[in-house]
Structure formats: structure tokens, C-alpha cells
């Protein structure tokens, strides 16, 4: 019964997709000002820019961050003199959390632990095929130090309220682009920010730094995947808008995959 309802819902989403594309200016949600899909992965999209990085003084030099080609919107810098082949082991250090200043909604400690465990697990799983995961620094080890600079849950009550309004999705789809956020996002969706330092395990020298902020997409559509793929993304984004932390986990999955892919590419260069 549930499966049949999901299938019917996907069919409805496919029919509505044309309207979504039109309302979002024929650009894939998450593309930002450029209109490309570089910032879109599943149901989250990057909001990162040099002006929007939170700057909690975790990184050593924010001014040198630049968009990474094909990086899904992530900003990075790396030391061009480093031979990345030397790193065949990776140490993921304890993840730090900087909660937004003035936040009126505390994060439940059990939720926070579950999220950090999930992120660490995603990083280990994505990286394991490329390098050995270790617990101590030393020669040949890349130390990865991560700080979450924003961890805002989805306001599920607001999502339900928006859904209850007849044709409310029309206004919600346009609200993102109208305010400079990714098309398909709304003000009440979850947001997750991250800064990361990469250090040489022997010397402690910073060899690279990155930053990003991901926002959930209630109306996600990967237009490059065809109508069926776009409808599936649309459904996933919609369903995720009714849980507090799913968008955060989607952001963690995106960052873990991006790190593993980039690390492999640098080691094989």
C-alpha cells in the first residue's frame, strides 16, 4: 500500500516537474547565480561564497579560499608544492561544533552525538578504498580536522504548514531564488556549515583548507538525470523536509564523497 502511494506520488511529481523548471528559471535547483548544477547533490545545495563563509577563526587564511572546479560549490585552497602521493593513511580527528550565535533552539546532545558519529562514519566509509584509516599522526598520514560552523535543523512544523496551503509549493519554489538562496530551498529548511583543515601528519603543516555551507532543497530536481531522475530527486527532497536532520546527513554524505574523490585524484596526479 505504501509502495503504491509512493509510486503515485512520484508520478504526480513528474507531471509537476515542468512547472518547477519554469518557476526556477530553467535552472537546476542549487545552481546559484551561474545557473549551473555545480552546487547540487541530491537534496542539498551549496550556499558557499567568499562573502558567506562564517569565519569562526578555525582556518588559518580565509582570503585564499576559491571555488573548486567540479567541487559542488565547495571553497578550497591547497599548497601546490605538496606531493599528495606521500599520504597513504588518513586520521580523522574529533569533529568540533560551533553553534550559530544567537541561536534560540538548542541541539539535543543525543542528536548531536548521532550526527557526529554519522559524519565520521561517512568519511571513513568513503575514504577506506583509497587509504588506511589510523588513530595517530605520523609520516604518511593526512590529518583531517573538521569544524561544523552551522547546524540548523529543519523546522518541520513550518514545512507542514507550507504544504497545507493550497498551491503553497508555488510560492515556496520561488522563495529561494527570490532571496538569493538556491532555487527549491525555503527559509525553514536545515542548513549545515563546515570548515576543514588538512595537516601533514609528521610536521603539522597546513597543506589545504576548505569551507562550505549546504542548505536543504525541498523541491530538488537534477535536470541532467532526465524526467524520472528529476522526479525522484523532487520526491526525496520533499520527504526530507519533514525530518529535522536529514538534510544535515545529506550534506555529510556529499562532503565525504567529495573528499574521497578529490583525495584520490590528487594522489593519482
Amino acid at each position: 500500500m505504501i509502495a503504491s502511494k509512493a509510486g503515485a506520488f512520484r508520478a504526480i511529481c513528474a507531471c509537476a516537474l515542468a512547472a518547477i523548471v519554469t518557476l526556477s528559471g530553467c535552472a537546476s535547483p542549487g545552481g546559484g547565480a551561474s545557473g549551473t548544477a555545480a552546487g547540487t547533490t541530491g537534496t542539498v545545495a551549496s550556499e558557499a561564497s567568499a562573502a558567506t563563509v562564517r569565519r569562526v577563526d578555525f582556518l588559518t587564511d580565509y582570503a585564499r579560499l576559491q571555488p573548486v572546479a567540479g567541487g559542488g560549490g565547495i571553497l578550497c585552497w591547497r599548497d601546490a608544492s605538496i606531493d599528495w602521493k606521500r599520504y597513504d593513511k588518513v586520521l580523522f580527528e574529533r569533529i568540533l561544533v560551533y553553534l550559530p550565535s544567537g541561536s534560540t533552539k538548542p541541539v539535543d546532545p543525543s542528536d548531536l552525538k548521532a550526527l557526529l558519529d554519522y559524519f565520521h562514519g561517512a568519511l571513513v566509509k568513503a575514504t577506506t578504498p583509497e587509504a588506511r584509516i589510523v588513530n595517530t599522526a605520523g609520516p604518511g598520514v593526512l590529518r583531517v580536522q573538521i569544524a561544523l560552523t552551522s547546524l540548523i535543523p529543519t523546522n518541520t512544523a513550518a514545512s507542514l504548514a507550507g504544504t497545507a496551503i493550497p498551491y503553497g509549493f508555488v510560492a515556496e519554489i520561488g522563495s529561494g531564488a527570490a532571496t538569493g538562496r538556491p532555487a527549491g530551498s525555503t527559509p525553514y529548511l536545515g542548513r549545515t556549515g563546515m570548515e576543514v583543515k588538512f595537516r601533514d601528519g609528521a610536521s603539522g603543516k597546513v597543506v589545504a583548507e576548505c569551507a562550505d555551507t549546504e542548505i536543504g532543497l525541498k523541491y530538488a530536481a537534477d535536470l541532467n538525470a532526465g524526467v524520472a531522475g528529476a522526479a525522484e530527486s523532487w520526491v526525496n527532497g520533499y520527504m526530507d523536509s519533514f525530518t529535522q536532520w536529514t538534510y544535515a546527513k545529506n550534506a555529510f554524505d556529499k562532503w565525504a564523497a567529495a573528499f574521497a574523490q578529490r583525495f584520490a585524484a590528487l594522489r593519482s596526479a
Side-chain angles (χ1 to χ4, degrees):
M1 185 67 176
I2 294 175
S4 63
K5 287 183 178 180
F9 187 59
R10 280 180 167 78
I12 294 171
C13 292
C15 294
L17 187 59
I20 296 171
V21 173
T22 301
L23 288 167
S24 62
C26 296
S28 180
S34 66
T36 68
T40 303
T41 295
T43 60
V44 290
S46 177
E47 283 195 307
S49 69
T52 60
V53 173
R54 188 179 169 200
R55 304 190 181 213
V56 296
D57 293 331
F58 181 75
L59 302 184
T60 59
D61 188 349
Y62 291 85
R64 60 191 179 187
L65 296 176
Q66 297 292 330
V68 177
I74 297 174
L75 305 173
C76 288
W77 162 86
R78 66 180 176 88
D79 186 337
S81 68
I82 297 300
D83 178 10
W84 290 80
K85 292 185 179 68
R86 74 173 71 171
Y87 301 118
D88 60 355
K89 298 177 285 294
V90 175
L91 166 62
F92 292 111
E93 301 191 0
R94 293 186 67 178
I95 300 171
L96 303 178
V97 179
Y98 294 80
L99 293 178
S101 58
S103 176
T104 59
K105 187 172 183 179
V107 178
D108 186 292
S110 60
D111 286 351
L112 183 57
K113 183 182 186 306
L115 288 169
L116 296 181
D117 288 347
Y118 183 93
F119 193 8
H120 182 269
L123 288 163
V124 169
K125 181 179 180 180
T127 308
T128 297
E130 182 64 25
R132 183 159 58 92
I133 308 302
V134 298
N135 296 320
T136 57
V141 176
L142 180 67
R143 293 171 54 192
V144 182
Q145 300 172 311
I146 297 173
L148 295 181
T149 58
S150 180
L151 197 58
I152 301 174
T154 294
N155 185 333
T156 55
S159 184
L160 284 168
T163 302
I165 300 172
Y167 303 105
F169 77 94
V170 176
E172 288 187 324
I173 291 171
S175 67
T179 56
R181 297 188 313 276
S185 66
T186 65
Y188 55 75
L189 295 184
R191 182 181 286 102
T192 310
M194 173 273 299
E195 294 178 6
V196 55
K197 285 186 292 193
F198 302 93
R199 292 183 181 272
D200 181 87
S203 68
K205 176 184 177 180
V206 176
V207 297
E209 295 185 320
C210 295
D212 190 23
T213 300
E214 295 284 328
I215 186 171
L217 296 178
K218 185 173 184 177
Y219 303 102
D222 181 1
L223 304 183
N224 295 321
V227 174
E232 182 176 1
S233 294
W234 198 94
V235 172
N236 291 340
Y238 183 82
M239 300 306 292
D240 288 350
S241 70
F242 302 108
T243 56
Q244 281 193 317
W245 295 114
T246 302
Y247 290 125
K249 291 181 178 179
N250 292 346
F252 297 157
D253 289 336
K254 175 180 177 178
W255 289 329
F259 167 71
Q261 292 166 4
R262 185 61 175 163
F263 182 53
L266 289 171
R267 292 193 70 237
S268 64

